[in-house]
Amino acid sequence: MSPAGPAGAPAQPLVPAPRFHAELPGSARLAAGSAVVAPDLPAVEPVARRLAERLGRALGGPVGVHRPRDDSRWAGRRPQRPADIQLVLDSGHRAAQAPSDATQRLDESFSLTCDERGVVLSAASPAGLRHATTTLLALVERPGGRGRPRPVDVPGMRIEDAPRFAWRGLMLDVARHFLDVPTVLDVLEVMADLKLNRLHLHLSDDQGWRLRLTSRPRLTEVSGATAVGGDPGGFYTADDLHTIEAAAADLGIVLVPEIDTPGHVNAATHAYGELVPGGSPTEEYTGIDVGFSRLHADLPATAPFLDDVLGEVGGLVDGPWLHLGGDEALEMDRAEYTRLVALALRAATAAGKVPVGWQEIAHAELPPGAVVQYWDERTGAQQVAAAARAGARVVLSPASRTYLDLKYDADFPLGLDWAGHVPLRRAYEWEPSEVLDLPADALLGVEACLWTETVRSREDLAALLLPRLAAVAEVAWSVPAVRGWDGFAARLAAFAPRWTAAGLAWTRTPDVAW
């Protein structure tokens, strides 16, 4: 059985598509009074309680969380209705998946079995169980349905699933236009429902600096209030960043902060004149041109600045990665560029972080395990492939497929078009293994990117992000054998009402029967 269901049947709202999905006899009725039963409750309690909370809202009554009782419904006899959901941590559970990310060794595979006895979710790790609960919620939650929440009969089925790639990300540019904490938390919920697991925050650029640092307070005092077009700015405190990271961790998402260097630094040079020859701060910048700003390797203030900033940012987050930017430093020669990247790499590793950078950092000497993010299909493929052969890992963000700030078509009122247009189908129909000639173990994953030159509101954000983020998420999660446009379009149409229920102004593209 395909994820879209047999001919004539409505599509199951499963996005991304699972590896294996088969029908079983019977069904399980979930209703108020169902319970989430977890033998290893302490290890999985956050997952169990989140599942119970959302089930309770969907079913119209409380759903408990507990360990199995003596009269457990899982003793082999037909249970009384309503059915329960059992969460099982099984160290022997395995489903075929790509090798785990070396910096986060966990198995994200899981299985879901539903029959007349209830629902069993099994995985080798809490991360796998979290994905299993996300799949179950997609089957149970019916956003936009008429009437009050009510019991749901989940049809009998067996799902076995695992991600294709370890890194499944979204980059949010909060520098050109600031996105406040509640908006970022809303995005995290959308990401979790699509089984994405990396939030890459682009925290600095020419137009603004978005993280208060005690070592360099003028970065936000001077450059925190600016944005593209003279719009209001904003910035996060350390507590704000911790709030975002904690919410992300609850959803199985790792925060990857980015401080862009040695280009895209006008916000920094506007705040600290010692970063500029002559010592005079640059003027604020609220346009959208790129490539004009830069650091200077020979200035005595440059290395301490990078040490302070990258060291402090690295110390603020628990995740293993720190993104150093590295793109579009167009006003310096290769030798100075590599010197500056080396300074940033040194600061990141001193902070105990694995460095990540846009594809241009492949020109520098990278430490083993560094992550190179490929974005510009016009250039750099050979350098990225060479870095991968030398031990770097690669995340794919080809602009013509994954840059969700690009217009859907020429008439779309938001977005840019420097790399063309990205209709939904183009964001979906591409194969990561064909983008670059890489060693088999070098391709770490796929990341969508949303730059915010034209994003001035939560509504603008949702209109560009959705539904295309779902397309990139399926590319990152699902193996080619279960992917196909017709099935995806049918499943996505069944999945999308949850965005409406969340109050998100997503775009109803003409290529799907919404």
Side-chain angles (χ1 to χ4, degrees):
M1 174 181 168
S2 73
Q12 295 285 6
L14 298 178
V15 179
R19 291 184 179 227
F20 174 80
H21 178 197
E23 293 179 332
L24 294 177
S27 64
R29 168 157 290 194
L30 301 182
S34 291
V36 176
V37 181
D40 299 296
L41 184 57
V44 301
E45 187 161 3
V47 178
R49 296 206 177 277
R50 178 175 175 79
L51 174 61
E53 179 183 347
R54 284 182 62 171
L55 285 174
R57 291 200 301 266
L59 301 173
V63 172
V65 176
H66 57 74
R67 289 180 170 175
R69 303 169 180 142
D70 292 339
D71 62 345
S72 172
R73 298 168 182 177
W74 306 96
R77 63 180 184 273
R78 182 180 177 87
Q80 301 292 319
R81 298 282 185 165
D84 286 347
I85 305 98
Q86 189 177 53
L87 305 186
V88 179
L89 271 181
D90 179 4
S91 60
H93 174 87
R94 289 292 185 272
Q97 71 171 35
S100 295
D101 181 343
T103 52
Q104 189 181 19
R105 297 183 183 277
L106 54 83
D107 184 343
E108 297 182 75
S109 64
F110 69 89
S111 65
L112 180 155
T113 303
C114 178
D115 57 26
E116 68 275 4
R117 296 176 299 166
V119 181
V120 179
L121 309 179
S122 179
S125 70
L129 280 181
R130 187 179 291 106
H131 296 319
T133 64
T134 298
T135 299
L136 177 62
L137 288 167
L139 296 167
V140 173
E141 293 176 329
R142 290 293 185 265
R146 296 180 180 178
R148 296 180 178 178
R150 59 187 184 275
V152 173
D153 291 318
V154 182
M157 67 180 70
R158 170 77 176 178
I159 291 174
E160 296 178 4
D161 206 1
R164 182 182 183 188
F165 294 113
W167 186 297
R168 306 178 304 280
L170 170 65
M171 189 286 303
L172 276 183
D173 167 23
V174 298
R176 288 172 175 83
H177 278 107
F178 181 64
L179 303 175
D180 62 18
V181 171
T183 299
V184 175
L185 299 186
D186 287 344
V187 171
L188 286 170
E189 294 285 347
V190 171
M191 291 176 64
D193 281 345
L194 294 169
K195 300 185 174 73
L196 295 170
N197 66 351
R198 305 283 184 267
L199 175 64
H200 166 185
L201 279 185
H202 184 81
L203 292 165
S204 70
D205 214 296
D206 295 316
Q207 298 84 356
W209 192 282
R210 304 303 182 208
L211 181 62
R212 179 190 287 163
L213 299 176
T214 58
S215 63
R216 300 284 173 156
R218 285 178 58 80
L219 289 169
T220 48
E221 289 171 1
V222 174
S223 296
T226 52
V228 164
D231 289 340
F235 59 86
Y236 307 121
T237 65
D239 286 344
D240 291 333
L241 197 69
H242 293 152
T243 295
I244 292 170
E245 185 170 43
D250 285 345
L251 298 170
I253 297 170
V254 180
L255 181 62
V256 183
E258 179 188 351
I259 300 298
D260 206 347
T261 184
H264 289 271
V265 294
N266 194 76
T269 58
H270 176 54
Y272 287 95
E274 61 263 37
L275 298 175
V276 181
S280 296
T282 56
E283 297 295 323
E284 69 176 46
Y285 182 72
T286 60
I288 64 171
D289 289 338
V290 299
F292 62 90
S293 63
R294 56 166 296 180
L295 295 178
H296 297 265
D298 291 331
L299 287 179
T302 299
F305 176 81
L306 291 173
D307 289 341
D308 287 348
V309 168
L310 296 175
E312 185 170 351
V313 174
L316 287 174
V317 296
D318 294 329
W321 298 284
L322 179 57
H323 203 298
L324 309 177
D327 59 317
E328 297 177 320
L330 305 181
E331 296 297 321
M332 67 183 72
D333 61 30
R334 182 68 51 79
E336 186 173 16
Y337 174 83
T338 55
R339 286 174 62 196
L340 287 163
V341 170
L343 291 175
L345 291 168
R346 183 191 70 184
T349 54
K353 301 302 181 183
V354 176
V356 186
W358 300 105
Q359 69 192 52
E360 289 90 334
I361 70 164
H363 293 292
E365 184 176 349
L366 302 176
V371 179
V372 178
Q373 188 166 359
Y374 179 73
W375 67 277
D376 188 351
E377 299 154 274
R378 301 167 297 185
T379 184
Q382 292 182 344
Q383 288 80 12
V384 173
R389 289 191 293 272
R393 312 291 297 281
V394 177
V395 170
L396 296 178
S397 298
S400 69
R401 305 286 184 169
T402 69
Y403 269 38
L404 306 187
D405 53 291
L406 295 175
K407 292 174 174 285
Y408 289 86
D409 56 44
D411 296 326
F412 199 73
L414 298 170
L416 303 177
D417 58 6
W418 68 268
H421 304 139
V422 183
L424 176 62
R425 190 161 183 167
R426 183 166 179 79
Y428 182 77
E429 289 188 324
W430 62 286
E431 170 47 43
S433 66
E434 297 174 357
V435 174
L436 294 171
D437 181 16
L438 298 175
D441 61 349
L443 184 49
L444 183 58
V446 171
E447 182 171 290
C449 297
L450 184 62
W451 305 97
T452 57
E453 288 93 338
T454 68
V455 174
R456 305 180 72 182
S457 67
R458 185 175 183 267
E459 290 73 23
D460 292 346
L461 176 69
L464 287 169
L465 197 64
L466 300 171
R468 293 183 294 184
L469 184 62
V472 180
E474 183 150 309
V475 172
W477 177 280
S478 302
V479 294
V482 301
R483 288 181 52 212
W485 170 256
D486 290 342
F488 171 71
R491 287 180 284 105
L492 186 62
F495 184 91
R498 68 185 55 247
W499 300 330
T500 303
L504 298 172
W506 57 282
T507 298
R508 287 162 172 78
T509 58
D511 41 12
V512 172
W514 304 106

